[in-house]
Amino acid sequence: MKNRVLFALLCILCLTLFAACGTTSSASVAPTPTQPPVPAGYTPVQITLQNIRIHSSITVFKVGVPYFFIITNKDKVEHEFMMSPTGMGGHITAYTMTNVTFALVEHITSGSIKTLRYTFNTPEPPGSIEFACHYSDHYAMGMILPVVVEK
Ligand SMILES: [Cu+2]
């Protein structure tokens, strides 16, 4: 009889500890943002902004293919995602922003996901187009990814 009571007490203690652990771990881990659904007819491109770097699941694109960019910011600072001709670092003006930039997604806050639908119209040979972030000194720190667009 005494053993049964002890066993029951042990069980209650274990359950309490387990519940406490579960609560602690779920509270300390930031929720992962949900991946948005890819629209029909689009090719998904995973862009990850992490450690002041840009990673892309595709770096060789095709003209005329509708791409769905899923941009995830895993850094603690805000970023932007800009497609532009190479070597624009530090020389972004209102003119280049509106006339030269291919596409721009701004204010991608820490831990968030933003999306972009984009289709390249002309081939871009190596060294002519890049993905970059121009916030603060991120470009100078290496937040640049050269890409290619083929026919
Ligand atoms: Cu940045």
Side-chain angles (χ1 to χ4, degrees), residues 49 52-54 73 75 77-81 132-139 143:
L49 311 174
I52 319 291
R53 291 288 183 279
I54 300 179
N73 183 0
D75 273 339
V77 295
E78 190 172 278
H79 291 300
E80 67 174 356
F81 176 73
C133 171
H134 296 266
Y135 282 0
S136 185
D137 52 353
H138 296 179
Y139 189 92
M143 210 163 175

Side-chain angles (χ1 to χ4, degrees), residues 121-150:
N121 296 317
T122 52
E124 300 294 339
S128 62
I129 181 175
E130 66 192 11
F131 298 164
C133 171
H134 296 266
Y135 282 0
S136 185
D137 52 353
H138 296 179
Y139 189 92
M141 290 170 78
M143 210 163 175
I144 315 152
L145 180 71
V147 297
V148 172
V149 183
E150 292 178 341

